[in-house]
PDB file of all heavy atoms in Angstrom:
ATOM      1  N   GLN A  38      56.213 -27.175 -81.510  1.00 67.00           N
ATOM      2  CA  GLN A  38      55.706 -26.683 -80.156  1.00 67.00           C
ATOM      3  C   GLN A  38      56.613 -25.772 -79.476  1.00 67.00           C
ATOM      4  O   GLN A  38      56.292 -24.898 -78.701  1.00 67.00           O
ATOM      5  CB  GLN A  38      55.340 -27.820 -79.365  1.00 67.00           C
ATOM      6  CG  GLN A  38      54.069 -28.582 -79.800  1.00 67.00           C
ATOM      7  CD  GLN A  38      53.715 -29.716 -79.019  1.00 67.00           C
ATOM      8  OE1 GLN A  38      54.584 -30.403 -78.392  1.00 67.00           O
ATOM      9  NE2 GLN A  38      52.517 -30.041 -78.851  1.00 67.00           N
ATOM     10  N   HIS A  39      58.010 -25.998 -79.658  1.00 70.00           N
ATOM     11  CA  HIS A  39      58.984 -25.187 -79.052  1.00 70.00           C
ATOM     12  C   HIS A  39      58.995 -23.755 -79.629  1.00 70.00           C
ATOM     13  O   HIS A  39      59.053 -22.805 -78.917  1.00 70.00           O
ATOM     14  CB  HIS A  39      60.381 -25.828 -79.170  1.00 70.00           C
ATOM     15  CG  HIS A  39      61.496 -25.019 -78.632  1.00 70.00           C
ATOM     16  ND1 HIS A  39      61.693 -24.887 -77.370  1.00 70.00           N
ATOM     17  CD2 HIS A  39      62.480 -24.308 -79.217  1.00 70.00           C
ATOM     18  CE1 HIS A  39      62.744 -24.086 -77.108  1.00 70.00           C
ATOM     19  NE2 HIS A  39      63.189 -23.777 -78.206  1.00 70.00           N
ATOM     20  N   TYR A  40      58.994 -23.621 -80.964  1.00 70.00           N
ATOM     21  CA  TYR A  40      59.063 -22.393 -81.622  1.00 70.00           C
ATOM     22  C   TYR A  40      57.721 -21.693 -81.737  1.00 70.00           C
ATOM     23  O   TYR A  40      57.693 -20.452 -81.844  1.00 70.00           O
ATOM     24  CB  TYR A  40      59.753 -22.506 -82.914  1.00 70.00           C
ATOM     25  CG  TYR A  40      61.231 -22.799 -82.792  1.00 70.00           C
ATOM     26  CD1 TYR A  40      61.653 -24.094 -83.206  1.00 70.00           C
ATOM     27  CD2 TYR A  40      62.089 -21.857 -82.392  1.00 70.00           C
ATOM     28  CE1 TYR A  40      63.055 -24.435 -83.030  1.00 70.00           C
ATOM     29  CE2 TYR A  40      63.471 -22.163 -82.278  1.00 70.00           C
ATOM     30  CZ  TYR A  40      63.810 -23.507 -82.501  1.00 70.00           C
ATOM     31  OH  TYR A  40      65.273 -23.702 -82.416  1.00 70.00           O
ATOM     32  N   ALA A  41      56.674 -22.450 -81.872  1.00 73.00           N
ATOM     33  CA  ALA A  41      55.286 -21.922 -82.059  1.00 73.00           C
ATOM     34  C   ALA A  41      54.280 -22.625 -81.121  1.00 73.00           C
ATOM     35  O   ALA A  41      53.500 -23.462 -81.571  1.00 73.00           O
ATOM     36  CB  ALA A  41      54.884 -21.957 -83.512  1.00 73.00           C
ATOM     37  N   PRO A  42      54.417 -22.311 -79.835  1.00 75.00           N
ATOM     38  CA  PRO A  42      53.567 -23.045 -78.923  1.00 75.00           C
ATOM     39  C   PRO A  42      52.107 -22.923 -79.071  1.00 75.00           C
ATOM     40  O   PRO A  42      51.228 -23.787 -78.582  1.00 75.00           O
ATOM     41  CB  PRO A  42      53.959 -22.480 -77.418  1.00 75.00           C
ATOM     42  CG  PRO A  42      54.593 -21.249 -77.774  1.00 75.00           C
ATOM     43  CD  PRO A  42      55.181 -21.331 -79.135  1.00 75.00           C
ATOM     44  N   ASP A  43      51.615 -21.844 -79.702  1.00 78.00           N
ATOM     45  CA  ASP A  43      50.177 -21.736 -80.020  1.00 78.00           C
ATOM     46  C   ASP A  43      49.727 -22.186 -81.244  1.00 78.00           C
ATOM     47  O   ASP A  43      48.558 -22.010 -81.684  1.00 78.00           O
ATOM     48  CB  ASP A  43      49.768 -20.221 -79.833  1.00 78.00           C
ATOM     49  CG  ASP A  43      50.489 -19.366 -80.994  1.00 78.00           C
ATOM     50  OD1 ASP A  43      51.481 -19.767 -81.406  1.00 78.00           O
ATOM     51  OD2 ASP A  43      50.027 -18.160 -81.062  1.00 78.00           O
ATOM     52  N   ALA A  44      50.613 -22.891 -82.040  1.00 77.00           N
ATOM     53  CA  ALA A  44      50.218 -23.448 -83.393  1.00 77.00           C
ATOM     54  C   ALA A  44      49.326 -24.602 -83.146  1.00 77.00           C
ATOM     55  O   ALA A  44      49.331 -25.345 -82.167  1.00 77.00           O
ATOM     56  CB  ALA A  44      51.496 -23.979 -84.131  1.00 77.00           C
ATOM     57  N   VAL A  45      48.370 -24.785 -84.142  1.00 78.00           N
ATOM     58  CA  VAL A  45      47.459 -25.835 -84.081  1.00 78.00           C
ATOM     59  C   VAL A  45      47.471 -26.675 -85.362  1.00 78.00           C
ATOM     60  O   VAL A  45      47.699 -26.157 -86.411  1.00 78.00           O
ATOM     61  CB  VAL A  45      46.027 -25.346 -83.845  1.00 78.00           C
ATOM     62  CG1 VAL A  45      45.766 -24.778 -82.483  1.00 78.00           C
ATOM     63  CG2 VAL A  45      45.615 -24.319 -84.908  1.00 78.00           C
ATOM     64  N   PRO A  46      47.375 -27.892 -85.332  1.00 74.00           N
ATOM     65  CA  PRO A  46      47.446 -28.735 -86.531  1.00 74.00           C
ATOM     66  C   PRO A  46      46.116 -28.604 -87.371  1.00 74.00           C
ATOM     67  O   PRO A  46      44.998 -28.584 -86.837  1.00 74.00           O
ATOM     68  CB  PRO A  46      47.529 -30.214 -85.955  1.00 74.00           C
ATOM     69  CG  PRO A  46      46.984 -30.137 -84.645  1.00 74.00           C
ATOM     70  CD  PRO A  46      47.179 -28.814 -84.092  1.00 74.00           C
ATOM     71  N   ASP A  47      46.340 -28.552 -88.602  1.00 77.00           N
ATOM     72  CA  ASP A  47      45.154 -28.540 -89.532  1.00 77.00           C
ATOM     73  C   ASP A  47      45.392 -29.577 -90.667  1.00 77.00           C
ATOM     74  O   ASP A  47      46.470 -29.668 -91.270  1.00 77.00           O
ATOM     75  CB  ASP A  47      45.043 -27.120 -90.202  1.00 77.00           C
ATOM     76  CG  ASP A  47      43.937 -27.001 -91.188  1.00 77.00           C
ATOM     77  OD1 ASP A  47      44.035 -27.393 -92.409  1.00 77.00           O
ATOM     78  OD2 ASP A  47      42.843 -26.579 -90.726  1.00 77.00           O
ATOM     79  N   PRO A  48      44.397 -30.382 -90.848  1.00 80.00           N
ATOM     80  CA  PRO A  48      44.567 -31.531 -91.725  1.00 80.00           C
ATOM     81  C   PRO A  48      44.943 -31.074 -93.160  1.00 80.00           C
ATOM     82  O   PRO A  48      45.614 -31.793 -93.984  1.00 80.00           O
ATOM     83  CB  PRO A  48      43.165 -32.320 -91.818  1.00 80.00           C
ATOM     84  CG  PRO A  48      42.291 -31.475 -91.104  1.00 80.00           C
ATOM     85  CD  PRO A  48      42.961 -30.412 -90.249  1.00 80.00           C
ATOM     86  N   GLU A  49      44.527 -29.915 -93.634  1.00 82.00           N
ATOM     87  CA  GLU A  49      44.902 -29.493 -94.986  1.00 82.00           C
ATOM     88  C   GLU A  49      46.132 -28.576 -94.980  1.00 82.00           C
ATOM     89  O   GLU A  49      46.830 -28.538 -95.986  1.00 82.00           O
ATOM     90  CB  GLU A  49      43.580 -28.659 -95.515  1.00 82.00           C
ATOM     91  CG  GLU A  49      42.432 -29.621 -95.743  1.00 82.00           C
ATOM     92  CD  GLU A  49      41.200 -28.868 -96.274  1.00 82.00           C
ATOM     93  OE1 GLU A  49      41.383 -27.795 -96.779  1.00 82.00           O
ATOM     94  OE2 GLU A  49      40.168 -29.411 -96.226  1.00 82.00           O
ATOM     95  N   GLU A  50      46.340 -27.790 -94.020  1.00 79.00           N
ATOM     96  CA  GLU A  50      47.318 -26.714 -94.077  1.00 79.00           C
ATOM     97  C   GLU A  50      48.632 -27.155 -93.251  1.00 79.00           C
ATOM     98  O   GLU A  50      49.558 -26.460 -93.225  1.00 79.00           O
ATOM     99  CB  GLU A  50      46.901 -25.452 -93.651  1.00 79.00           C
ATOM    100  CG  GLU A  50      45.829 -24.803 -94.573  1.00 79.00           C
ATOM    101  CD  GLU A  50      45.447 -23.392 -94.091  1.00 79.00           C
ATOM    102  OE1 GLU A  50      46.314 -22.633 -93.701  1.00 79.00           O
ATOM    103  OE2 GLU A  50      44.258 -23.105 -94.209  1.00 79.00           O
ATOM    104  N   GLY A  51      48.506 -28.206 -92.508  1.00 75.00           N
ATOM    105  CA  GLY A  51      49.554 -28.612 -91.637  1.00 75.00           C
ATOM    106  C   GLY A  51      49.479 -27.698 -90.286  1.00 75.00           C
ATOM    107  O   GLY A  51      48.387 -27.489 -89.800  1.00 75.00           O
ATOM    108  N   TRP A  52      50.582 -27.300 -89.803  1.00 73.00           N
ATOM    109  CA  TRP A  52      50.518 -26.473 -88.596  1.00 73.00           C
ATOM    110  C   TRP A  52      50.261 -24.992 -89.033  1.00 73.00           C
ATOM    111  O   TRP A  52      50.806 -24.488 -89.876  1.00 73.00           O
ATOM    112  CB  TRP A  52      52.009 -26.468 -87.972  1.00 73.00           C
ATOM    113  CG  TRP A  52      52.166 -27.744 -87.208  1.00 73.00           C
ATOM    114  CD1 TRP A  52      52.809 -28.834 -87.692  1.00 73.00           C
ATOM    115  CD2 TRP A  52      51.783 -28.128 -85.884  1.00 73.00           C
ATOM    116  NE1 TRP A  52      52.816 -29.838 -86.774  1.00 73.00           N
ATOM    117  CE2 TRP A  52      52.200 -29.367 -85.568  1.00 73.00           C
ATOM    118  CE3 TRP A  52      51.139 -27.350 -84.901  1.00 73.00           C
ATOM    119  CZ2 TRP A  52      51.948 -29.992 -84.399  1.00 73.00           C
ATOM    120  CZ3 TRP A  52      50.800 -28.001 -83.779  1.00 73.00           C
ATOM    121  CH2 TRP A  52      51.228 -29.255 -83.499  1.00 73.00           C
ATOM    122  N   VAL A  53      49.246 -24.446 -88.213  1.00 81.00           N
ATOM    123  CA  VAL A  53      48.913 -23.064 -88.463  1.00 81.00           C
ATOM    124  C   VAL A  53      49.211 -22.215 -87.208  1.00 81.00           C
ATOM    125  O   VAL A  53      48.812 -22.491 -86.082  1.00 81.00           O
ATOM    126  CB  VAL A  53      47.301 -23.050 -88.672  1.00 81.00           C
ATOM    127  CG1 VAL A  53      46.888 -21.587 -89.008  1.00 81.00           C
ATOM    128  CG2 VAL A  53      46.995 -23.914 -89.882  1.00 81.00           C
ATOM    129  N   GLU A  54      50.108 -21.209 -87.462  1.00 81.00           N
ATOM    130  CA  GLU A  54      50.489 -20.333 -86.400  1.00 81.00           C
ATOM    131  C   GLU A  54      49.711 -19.032 -86.402  1.00 81.00           C
ATOM    132  O   GLU A  54      49.188 -18.643 -87.358  1.00 81.00           O
ATOM    133  CB  GLU A  54      51.962 -19.935 -86.496  1.00 81.00           C
ATOM    134  CG  GLU A  54      52.876 -21.094 -86.501  1.00 81.00           C
ATOM    135  CD  GLU A  54      53.250 -21.634 -87.979  1.00 81.00           C
ATOM    136  OE1 GLU A  54      52.728 -21.060 -88.895  1.00 81.00           O
ATOM    137  OE2 GLU A  54      53.803 -22.706 -88.039  1.00 81.00           O
ATOM    138  N   SER A  55      49.716 -18.413 -85.201  1.00 84.00           N
ATOM    139  CA  SER A  55      48.912 -17.149 -85.079  1.00 84.00           C
ATOM    140  C   SER A  55      49.788 -16.034 -85.819  1.00 84.00           C
ATOM    141  O   SER A  55      51.026 -16.188 -86.059  1.00 84.00           O
ATOM    142  CB  SER A  55      48.756 -16.745 -83.663  1.00 84.00           C
ATOM    143  OG  SER A  55      49.960 -16.496 -83.071  1.00 84.00           O
ATOM    144  N   ASP A  56      49.180 -14.864 -86.210  1.00 88.00           N
ATOM    145  CA  ASP A  56      49.942 -13.934 -86.821  1.00 88.00           C
ATOM    146  C   ASP A  56      51.042 -13.387 -85.888  1.00 88.00           C
ATOM    147  O   ASP A  56      52.093 -13.035 -86.362  1.00 88.00           O
ATOM    148  CB  ASP A  56      48.991 -12.692 -87.222  1.00 88.00           C
ATOM    149  CG  ASP A  56      48.015 -13.070 -88.322  1.00 88.00           C
ATOM    150  OD1 ASP A  56      48.345 -13.987 -89.073  1.00 88.00           O
ATOM    151  OD2 ASP A  56      46.986 -12.361 -88.514  1.00 88.00           O
TER     152      ASP A  56
END
Side-chain angles (χ1 to χ4, degrees):
Q38 289 178 329
H39 178 74
Y40 291 108
D43 63 342
V45 293
D47 181 271
E49 294 179 17
E50 295 184 40
W52 283 94
V53 180
E54 301 90 8
S55 69
D56 289 341

